[in-house]
């Protein structure tokens, strides 16, 4: 008995299969890249907001001021330092001895490397502000509110995006209570803009 050989796939069937895989890849891969970028930016903002909240609490607990310095750059990578906190004697610029702000460690960008870059910018001068003893926010280490551009109750914001692409996420620090709020702007990755939607941490 003779067995008929299998004819296999025709060239047309193979071309159709490759075309379908290409179309699906063209849809799925960009969506996956966007979702990954969103998750990375969300992780940075969530980690930084938690770190800032810990620093704010330690200023109140230890009766000191915590000077927070933000690294403003358009080319930060995973594991680069994005924020540091130093214990300062209230009302001065002198370092306080024997105490630390938060854990005492700088805040590093999460991740294990890669070619992506983060853009970080601030709305306040010198990328520097203070959490005072009662957890309030000040740009000059006095007991008052954050001061910026001649106002007495300014919102300080930190803006972060990945690869210069949307979305941009923000952290807003507000007034006497040192409130930390998170923001979102889905239309731009430019950290010169501000977030358009805000919510509580």
């Amino acid at each position: 008995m003779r067995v008929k050989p299998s004819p296999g796939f025709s060239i047309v069937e193979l071309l159709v299969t490759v075309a379908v895989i290409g179309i699906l890849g063209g849809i799925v891969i960009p969506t996956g890249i966007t979702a990954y970028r969103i998750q990375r930016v969300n992780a940075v903002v969530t980690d930084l907001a938690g770190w800032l909240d810990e620093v704010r609490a330690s200023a109140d607990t230890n009766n000191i001021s915590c000077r927070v310095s933000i690294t403003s750059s358009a080319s930060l990578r995973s594991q680069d330092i994005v924020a540091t906190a130093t214990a300062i004697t209230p009302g001065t610029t002198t370092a306080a001895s024997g105490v630390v702000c938060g854990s005492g460690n700088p805040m590093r960008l999460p991740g294990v490397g890669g070619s992506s870059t983060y853009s970080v910018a601030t709305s306040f001068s010198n990328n520097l502000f203070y959490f005072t003893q009662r957890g309030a926010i000040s740009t000059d280490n006095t007991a008052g509110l954050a001061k910026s551009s001649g106002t007495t109750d300014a919102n300080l914001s930190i803006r972060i995006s990945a690869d210069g692409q949307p979305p941009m996420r923000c952290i807003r620090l507000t007034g006497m209570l040192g409130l930390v709020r998170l923001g979102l702007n889905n239309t731009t990755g430019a950290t010169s803009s501000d977030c358009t939607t805000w919510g509580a941490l």
Side-chain angles (χ1 to χ4, degrees):
M1 182 189 282
R2 193 180 279 182
V3 179
K4 235 180 161 180
S6 172
F9 295 103
S10 71
I11 191 72
V12 173
E13 291 170 325
L14 289 174
L15 289 174
V16 169
T17 303
V18 169
V20 169
I21 290 172
I23 291 169
L24 290 175
I27 294 170
V28 172
I29 291 173
T31 303
I33 291 170
T34 300
Y36 177 63
R37 185 173 59 246
I38 290 169
Q39 289 305 314
R40 284 186 299 129
V41 173
N42 287 346
V44 171
V45 170
T46 302
D47 288 356
L48 181 55
W51 184 88
L52 289 169
D53 202 45
E54 183 181 3
V55 170
R56 180 193 58 76
S58 69
D60 191 32
T61 301
N62 297 316
N63 199 30
I64 55 170
S65 291
C66 288
R67 181 175 61 210
V68 176
S69 177
I70 304 296
T71 305
S72 180
S73 173
S75 58
L76 294 176
R77 297 187 181 276
S78 295
Q79 298 305 313
D80 284 350
I81 293 173
V82 71
T84 57
T86 306
I88 302 292
T89 302
T92 72
T93 56
T94 307
S97 60
V99 289
V100 296
C101 294
S103 66
N105 296 321
M107 166 64 195
R108 293 182 180 274
L109 291 168
V112 291
S115 59
S116 298
T117 59
Y118 295 92
S119 294
V120 179
T122 66
S123 66
F124 42 96
S125 61
N126 301 320
N127 303 314
L128 191 70
F129 70 93
Y130 297 82
F131 284 116
T132 63
Q133 301 106 301
R134 288 168 295 283
I137 297 166
S138 173
T139 53
D140 59 7
N141 196 23
T142 64
L145 299 171
K147 297 175 179 63
S148 176
S149 304
T151 65
T152 57
D153 189 5
N155 293 316
L156 308 182
S157 68
I158 303 164
R159 305 164 184 150
I160 302 170
S161 68
D163 300 324
Q165 300 293 317
M168 181 183 62
R169 296 295 308 266
C170 305
I171 298 172
R172 178 181 281 172
L173 308 158
T174 307
M176 289 297 286
L177 299 177
L179 298 176
V180 178
R181 300 180 77 78
L182 300 183
L184 174 68
N185 188 332
N186 278 323
T187 62
T188 184
T191 53
S192 56
S193 303
D194 204 0
C195 285
T196 52
T197 305
W198 294 93
L201 175 63

